[in-house]
Each structure stands twice: as C-alpha cells, then as structure tokens.
Amino acid sequence: MTTTPASRALPNRVNRTLMLLLKIAIIGTLLLTLASEVLSSTPGERPPIVSWVSWVQLAVSLFVIGVYVFYRPGRKRWIAAASIASLVTTGFDMLYEQGVRGVGTAELLALGLLMLFSVRHWDASPGRWVAFANGAAVMLIGFRVFAQDFASAAIGGSVMIFMAMMTMIGFGAYLRSLDRLRRETQEEVRQAERLELAREMHDFVAHHVTGMVVLAQAAQVTNTDPKQAFADIEEAGLAALTSMRRMVKMLRNDDGGAGTNPLGDLAQIEDLVERFNREGTDATCFISPELAGSSVAPEIAATAHRIVREALTNVRKHARGATRVRVVVAAASGNGLEVSVRDDGRAARGRLAESGAGMGLLGLGERIEAVGGQLRAQTRPEGGWETAAWLPRAAPEAR
C-alpha cells in the first residue's frame, strides 16, 4: 500500500540494525589496526611504542576515531578539529626524526570516513574549507606511514591513498545529491498541497458567504428578530474568516493558477469507493448517519474526502493481492470523526513500491494537522494495511 515510516517499520528496523553492526565492525577494525600498528615491527626494527612521539600519534589517532564514532550530521567542527590535529601531528613527525615507523594507518582510515561526511554536509558550519583540510590531512599522513619504506613503495602508497580519497569524495557527493533531491521533492509536495488549498479556499469561503446571503434574504421577507438575524450573519461571517485564515496560514507563495477544484464532501466519498469497486476490488463504504447534514464543517468533510482518495490510490499502487477494502467514516470521541481505509493486501516490492516514497501522505499529513487532526498509517495484526485519521467535526479556530 503506502511507503510511510509506520508501514515500513520492520524494514527500517532491519536497516538500522545492519548499519549499527556495520559501524561496530568498522570501529573494531580501526582499533585492532591501531593496536597492531603500535605493537608490531619488522625484524631489526623497533616497535613504535618505544617512542614518545608515537604515543602522541596514538592519542591523535584515538581522537580521530572518536570523532568518527560520535559524529552527527552538521557537527563538522569536530571534523575540522580532527583534521587540524592530524596535520599538526604529521608536521611534528616530519620535524622530529624518531627513527621508528610512525603511527597513522588507523587514523588514515578514520579520516577517509570523515571525508565522506565533509563532502555530504558540504555547506554545514564552519564551512567548506573543512573538506580541504580533511583532504590535506589524508594525503600528508603518508609521510608517517611510509617514512621508513622505499621511495617506490611510498609513491605507490600515496597513489592508493589518493584513489581511496577520491572514492570517498564521490560517494559523499552522491549522498549529498540524494539528500538535496529528497528535500526538493518534499518541498514540491508541500507546495502542491498549498496550491490546492489556495484553490479550494474559494469553495470554502463561498459556502459560508452563501449562507450569509441566505440569512440576510430570509430576514427581509420574514418577521425575524433583527438582533437574531444580525447574530446569525455575524456567526456565518466569523466562520468564513476562520476558514480563510486557517488555509492562508499554510501558504507561503501567491497562487498564480486559475480555476478551482470541486469541493469534496462526505457524500462524494461513496462515489470514490464505487468507482474503485468497479475496477475489480471488493470495496465497501460505511458513513455514520449522524454525520450527515451540517454537523461536519466543510473543510473537515473535504479533508476526509482527500484521506479516502489518497488511501485508495495507495491501495491500487502498493497493495499486492488486495481483494477487500473497507472504508469507514464514523463518529469518534471528542466530538470528532474517524476516517479509516483498510485492506488485506501485501506490501508491493520493487520500483513501483518506491515510486511514491510516502510523498502523498506528506502533504496529506500537513493538511490534517492544519485542521487539528491526527494521521496514522500502519500494518494490521491480521494482515493488510490501514490508513486512518481522527478529525474534529468543527475545525479549530485559526490564530
């Protein structure tokens, strides 16, 4: 059905577990590499542990590994600190000849992983220069690692370091492009929802203004108390203003489009289900009789209509083998109503399942929150999927 976070809870938990195990394996590899580097040596060579300079390099390596372990998006200042510390340590090693192989392989690997974050969060504080400092630290650390090797080995090792660094830069740039694409897609969905709300504003306000006109006309031809007539007109006018304010607060740009969409209501939900039923799926609809008439505000009815439309679309796109769909619009506690769409299908796989990525419910959730409601989408214990929302019958006052 849909690919919302709630409906994809199990795959997300599996992914998080795998990523956690991968990070633990990387950290373990870095620490083992650091330990073996400090303690091991070739025949006729002293181990790095005998030099106090190597202890400084060990401390810096542990600091760089710690930055990788505790790094969170946007905390590039720590990457900058790790890169500067590595550069200073490398410069100190070049000036002070200690006569043993330097410590830096684990630090090199950790800096390479931090390079991915430097590029992915390119524009984060303190700036883009962090990536260049990180790259310099990666390349210059070869003076420590290859100081005791032959010139050919040092050149070959430096080339390998450069190629590995370029790979991390490319992967980081790829992840950065994915992040930007997702942000742009979310913004497009929100903008489309705001434009649709702007178009529907005409219908909502027209509904209330028409009621005001009817009240004024009735007062002219009947013996209605003028105070009562003015009170009714005032109430209708305040409702129109409330409806307009509620939608205007969600808009950020002017709508240059023309035309209006038809105003959906509870009665049109039955038409949606009937059309869906004709497409081959056993779909039924129940609307509580006590919700008929004027007990539900127009914008609430339109939101309920939108919920059913979006849920049925998701059933058609994402629910494999769905044979039954049940749509229920019933009275709920707290002077509200609950709209639910349940099916017995299985989650689709492949490109079709990923085509929406939950973007449809992103805009729907924004609309539901605007009228004071709550949305949930989740698996059903007996199988299938459920999209449901609680809505107030009377839309809350917009402030």
Side-chain angles (χ1 to χ4, degrees):
M1 184 178 148
T2 181
T3 55
T4 63
S7 65
R8 298 171 62 186
L10 181 58
N12 286 342
R13 284 198 296 269
V14 173
N15 291 337
R16 286 195 296 269
T17 302
L18 292 176
M19 294 302 297
L20 178 60
L21 293 176
L22 176 60
K23 189 167 186 177
I24 292 175
I26 292 175
I27 296 171
T29 302
L30 291 175
L31 294 177
L32 286 175
T33 302
L34 181 60
S36 62
E37 188 179 22
V38 172
L39 300 175
S40 64
S41 62
T42 59
E45 180 187 44
R46 293 186 303 167
I49 196 173
V50 303
S51 172
W52 65 272
V53 177
S54 296
W55 283 95
V56 175
Q57 297 172 351
L58 172 64
V60 174
S61 297
L62 289 174
F63 172 67
V64 175
I65 294 174
V67 171
Y68 166 72
V69 173
F70 297 105
Y71 178 77
R72 295 296 180 272
R75 299 181 180 178
K76 282 176 57 179
R77 288 184 174 85
W78 287 103
I79 298 180
S83 300
I84 293 174
S86 178
L87 287 171
V88 171
T89 305
T90 299
F92 187 73
D93 181 80
M94 294 170 64
L95 293 176
Y96 184 85
E97 180 62 39
Q98 55 176 332
V100 297
R101 174 173 43 84
V103 176
T105 303
E107 181 181 335
L108 170 64
L109 297 175
L111 286 171
L113 294 171
L114 292 177
M115 173 63 72
L116 187 149
F117 301 131
S118 298
V119 176
R120 183 177 186 178
H121 307 136
W122 178 256
D123 295 318
S125 178
R128 301 177 179 178
W129 63 268
V130 175
F132 295 99
N134 195 356
V138 169
M139 293 304 303
L140 293 179
I141 205 173
F143 284 97
R144 283 192 250 165
V145 178
F146 305 116
Q148 304 298 319
D149 295 336
F150 295 106
S152 59
I155 294 174
S158 299
V159 172
M160 293 179 61
I161 291 175
F162 178 76
M163 294 177 62
M165 184 181 68
M166 295 306 297
T167 301
M168 300 305 293
I169 291 176
F171 190 41
Y174 171 71
L175 293 178
R176 182 170 179 266
S177 66
L178 290 182
D179 293 339
R180 184 173 65 250
L181 178 61
R182 181 167 183 82
R183 289 193 302 268
E184 292 175 353
T185 303
Q186 291 177 341
E187 184 58 32
E188 288 176 359
V189 171
R190 292 190 178 97
Q191 182 66 15
E193 184 66 24
R194 295 179 186 125
L195 293 179
E196 184 174 351
L197 287 171
R199 296 185 182 102
E200 290 183 353
M201 188 188 305
H202 171 273
D203 297 310
F204 292 138
V205 176
H207 171 83
H208 294 294
V209 173
T210 301
M212 296 168 58
V213 173
V214 170
L215 290 173
Q217 291 174 342
Q220 297 178 36
V221 300
T222 61
N223 294 326
T224 305
D225 183 4
K227 292 184 178 180
Q228 182 61 41
F230 284 125
D232 294 339
I233 294 174
E234 178 187 17
E235 182 178 356
L238 291 175
L241 289 175
T242 299
S243 177
M244 184 170 59
R245 290 193 189 105
R246 187 177 302 108
M247 293 185 177
V248 169
K249 73 174 184 177
M250 297 181 62
L251 305 177
R252 299 296 182 266
N253 298 314
D254 294 334
D255 179 12
T260 60
N261 291 336
L263 179 62
D265 56 22
L266 298 183
Q268 295 181 18
I269 291 178
E270 296 180 349
D271 297 334
L272 281 176
V273 177
E274 180 61 28
R275 289 197 299 270
F276 189 83
N277 196 18
R278 289 197 296 266
E279 295 177 3
T281 304
D282 178 18
T284 59
C285 176
F286 171 78
I287 300 178
S288 179
E290 62 183 288
L291 299 178
S294 59
S295 61
V296 179
E299 51 265 53
I300 299 299
T303 302
H305 180 274
R306 172 67 184 275
I307 293 169
V308 175
R309 186 181 69 186
E310 180 68 27
L312 292 179
T313 300
N314 286 335
V315 171
R316 183 62 65 201
K317 290 177 59 178
H318 303 292
R320 295 191 306 165
T323 59
R324 295 189 307 275
V325 178
R326 299 292 180 262
V327 178
V328 177
V329 183
S333 60
N335 193 28
L337 61 92
E338 180 166 317
V339 183
S340 63
V341 180
R342 300 179 177 91
D343 69 83
D344 60 349
R346 304 185 307 276
R349 299 182 183 275
R351 296 180 62 182
L352 180 60
E354 301 297 331
S355 60
M359 292 297 106
L361 290 186
L362 178 65
L364 183 62
E366 185 170 338
R367 168 178 289 206
I368 292 174
E369 291 177 1
V371 297
Q374 297 177 345
L375 173 68
R376 71 176 186 274
Q378 60 190 11
T379 59
R380 301 173 61 199
E382 62 273 23
W385 303 88
E386 174 187 37
T387 300
W390 180 91
L391 300 171
R393 299 193 197 183
E397 186 75 20
R399 301 191 180 188

